[in-house]
Amino acid sequence: MNQDLTRGNIAGGLVAFALPMIAGDLLQQVYNLTDTLIVGQALGRGALAAVGSAYSLMTFLVSIFLGLSMGTGALFSIYLGRGDRKSLRSVVFQSFALIMGITLLLNLISYAALDPLLGFLQIPREIRGFMRLYLCIIFSGIPATSMANYFSCLLRAAGNSVVPLVFLGISAVLNIALDVLLVMVFPFGIGGAAAATVFAQYVSGVGILAWFLRKYREFLPERADMRLDRKILKEILDLSVLTCAQQSCMNFGILLVQRLVDSFGAVTMAAFAAAVKIDTFAYLPVQDFGNAFSTFVATNYGAGEKERIRRGMRTAVLFSSAFSLVLSILVVFAAEDLMRIFIRADDTAVIASGVRYLRIEGAFYLGIGCLFLWYGFYRAVNRPGISVILTIVSLGLRVTLAYAFSPAWGEAGIWVSIPIGWFLADVTGLGYYLRHRKNLLVFHLSGQ
């Protein structure tokens, strides 16, 4: 079940490793789309706008511990490539304690700051009650989401992308079934949708923890490993904190865009909520391919396989670019039909707004496909700071241009700013690579 990414055919290995990740996240997005469909069709525009705005906030919160987990996974892959099992066990112990502690603190802060967050997001009065109820319930699932993400990252770093797929699939199917039960059969409304999500998150988080404890005993810390190792902790922080900063910056930028969207009212909010779910579903495969590429690079980086990394880069760019172009064609031409799945047919203003978003942004998925590869590459070769810079370029421009363009162009000004940010970040990533490519693949960890 574990795959050795330092040997064999590069293209076949990358695709085989990425496919379970893609399938798993597609299942998760099927849930997100189904949730949007049920809320939009059964509860109407106001509830859909509330869930959509809450989704952007939750994505930002989750990005904090997801970034820490991704950085830990990159370090795990590096040590796995070197065959250093003792350091692997120390990484597991110290990273788990760090990430779970931060998660619990974040959970407490989320509840304490709930009303200020609603004010910051400029939530209209008519939907604030919907969103407050939804978030009060959904925040209780933060620890389970953190645990599921942490162990999924470790398993993928060990070359196992199948088990995270299984638990994501279980969570998604359970979530959809409970959504139907608690929203459409029993009239629990938006609170029922939130409760369904939380229950499924705990099934996934506890389940993958139990699997890891049973099947990966060689990675479990022994008594001698349960102590502070300053060198290992520094390496975890070097990779994880910057990866966390990259993820957080990215999603904080999206949150600022959401704030601007909210200022346009319920129509634009509802359109954005539906269109973003479609958008995320569409480019999810290239995002997961970028994560698979990161694991490939990190493992070969630890093993000193420089030429294999270079050949892998060429393969990854080809695959990601081809897939991105196909996705753009599909989304641009099917934009109206896709929006009608989630929005009632008589709500023509919401449909028109969502179609405009999809046709502007969806035409340029090539930009985000390449950007995911750059994020994964720089994280894997122990240059997470460059990933942060690329995120600042991408999101900083997106936010700045959105606020600059929207007074004159309205919501279209927000949408057009997104691909501009992507492509300028791609140019930045390529420029850094061309300038430093001789030294990028020289193996180095802190303290060595």
Side-chain angles (χ1 to χ4, degrees), residues 31-52 130 134 179-180 182-184 189-194 196-197 270 273 277 341-344:
Y31 154 69
N32 288 332
L33 290 171
T34 304
D35 186 52
T36 302
L37 187 153
I38 291 172
V39 171
Q41 295 288 352
L43 303 179
R45 177 193 297 179
L48 177 59
V51 170
F130 281 127
Y134 186 82
D179 258 345
V180 172
L182 299 180
V183 176
M184 303 187 76
I190 198 169
T197 299
K277 297 292 179 68
I341 295 173
F342 304 99
I343 307 299
R344 294 169 180 170

Side-chain angles (χ1 to χ4, degrees), residues 295-310:
T295 301
F296 166 85
V297 173
T299 305
N300 283 280
Y301 177 67
E305 296 284 348
K306 298 180 186 179
E307 184 54 35
R308 186 172 174 85
I309 293 174
R310 293 189 181 97

Side-chain angles (χ1 to χ4, degrees), residues 143-153 201 204-205 208:
T145 304
S146 179
M147 191 156 52
N149 277 299
Y150 175 78
F151 285 105
S152 292
C153 285
Q201 285 169 342
S204 177
I208 200 166

